[in-house]
Amino acid sequence: MVTRPYRENVLETEPHRPLPPEIYRRRRALAIGVAALVAAIVVTIAVLVFNGGASADQKKAGSSQPDKPNTAQGPLAPTPTPDVKSPVVPPAQQAPPPTPTPTAAVQPPPVLKEGDDCPDSTLAVKGITNEPRYTIGDQPKFTMVVTNIGLVGCQRDVGAAVLSAYVYTLDNKRLWSNLDCAPSNETLVKTFNPGEQVTTEVTWTGMGSAPQCPLPRQPIGPGTYNLVVQLGNLRSATVPFILAEASANAPAPPAAAPPPEASPAPAG
């Protein structure tokens, strides 16, 4: 058995004496300083870790942003610029050749010999009224004029069978013709020198008519009408004239027998 020296036993059994207050103050200050240092180190490490993670996220977001489509909405969202494509121009050798524009063939004027029949292109017809205005009861006189407008003398039938006068309304409704009630088989072949004219006069009684002169014939009322002269298929320009109501104060015209409806000056 090992026994401790008496001195140790004496020391262990000696009561502990309190330390001086300065020792306690130093211990507390040292403990507080160590705690503050540890806390500062922990905070610093936490800040570094947080900043490092945020920077990594920003870099990652920045590197992946160009690959994502722009889905931002609102007034501050950037507007994508549309791609502008240049038109594709085919090479010159591949362009289709220009197509010529068709033009109507111009018919040359007929070559006439002296004494040939006058074609329509060498004649002009027109109508003339002896007055621009008539009253109901008047008997207008119409003159039919045929002119050779060609450069060579020629001949043409201008008889009553083929030369006629017509009265139309302004909307082209046929009212009268001198051949309706006085048809004729007359043939009158006329030789025209260049610029020469042939005139024929007819009288209109103011009554309406139709082919083959059906009865009863109705008088034409007041209004504005057109005179047209026709030679075969050749027609004149329209010549307007007025047929007005008779004035109440105007003296009555003397009674006169109407002219016979026969050529050369038939009336209708």
Side-chain angles (χ1 to χ4, degrees), residues 63-201:
S63 61
S64 61
Q65 183 175 2
D67 297 334
K68 296 182 180 179
N70 182 16
T71 57
Q73 301 292 334
L76 298 180
T79 303
T81 303
D83 295 337
V84 179
K85 298 182 179 180
S86 301
V88 178
V89 180
Q93 61 272 15
Q94 297 181 2
T99 303
T101 302
T103 56
V106 178
Q107 296 293 335
V111 179
L112 297 178
K113 297 179 182 179
E114 193 74 25
D116 286 349
D117 291 339
C118 301
D120 288 350
S121 60
T122 63
L123 297 178
V125 294
K126 68 177 181 179
I128 301 175
T129 60
N130 64 327
E131 297 289 344
R133 181 185 181 94
Y134 305 96
T135 57
I136 300 295
D138 290 344
Q139 295 188 357
K141 288 183 174 14
F142 303 142
T143 301
M144 302 179 290
V145 181
V146 181
T147 306
N148 180 4
I149 59 174
L151 302 178
V152 179
C154 56
Q155 63 181 9
R156 182 68 177 263
D157 181 9
V158 292
V162 294
L163 182 62
S164 55
Y166 295 87
V167 172
Y168 288 89
T169 62
L170 296 183
D171 58 357
N172 208 33
K173 179 182 178 182
R174 183 186 187 276
L175 298 178
W176 171 84
S177 172
N178 66 306
L179 297 182
D180 288 341
C181 298
S184 174
N185 295 324
E186 178 187 6
T187 298
L188 179 60
V189 178
K190 172 67 177 177
T191 299
F192 292 88
N193 293 320
E196 188 176 357
Q197 294 181 339
V198 172
T199 61
T200 304
E201 186 179 272

Side-chain angles (χ1 to χ4, degrees), residues 209-236:
S209 67
Q212 300 180 0
C213 198
L215 297 176
R217 296 172 60 186
Q218 300 297 327
I220 302 302
T224 302
Y225 303 99
N226 285 327
L227 168 66
V228 176
V229 174
Q230 184 166 340
L231 175 64
N233 296 323
L234 191 61
R235 292 171 64 92
S236 72

Side-chain angles (χ1 to χ4, degrees), residues 43-67:
V43 171
T44 303
I45 293 173
V47 170
L48 292 177
V49 171
F50 177 80
N51 289 340
S55 299
D57 293 340
Q58 291 178 357
K59 290 180 180 180
K60 182 177 180 181
S63 61
S64 61
Q65 183 175 2
D67 297 334

Side-chain angles (χ1 to χ4, degrees), residues 5 8 11 15-16 19 25 41-42 46 53 100 103 132 196 218 221 223 244:
E8 288 182 358
L11 290 176
H16 294 283
L19 298 175
R25 286 195 294 268
I41 292 173
V42 172
T103 56
E196 188 176 357
Q218 300 297 327

Side-chain angles (χ1 to χ4, degrees), residues 13-38:
T13 58
E14 286 182 356
H16 294 283
R17 289 178 298 180
L19 298 175
E22 292 84 5
I23 297 301
Y24 290 106
R25 286 195 294 268
R26 290 175 183 176
R27 289 180 178 179
R28 286 195 297 268
L30 180 60
I32 293 172
V34 172
L37 179 60
V38 172

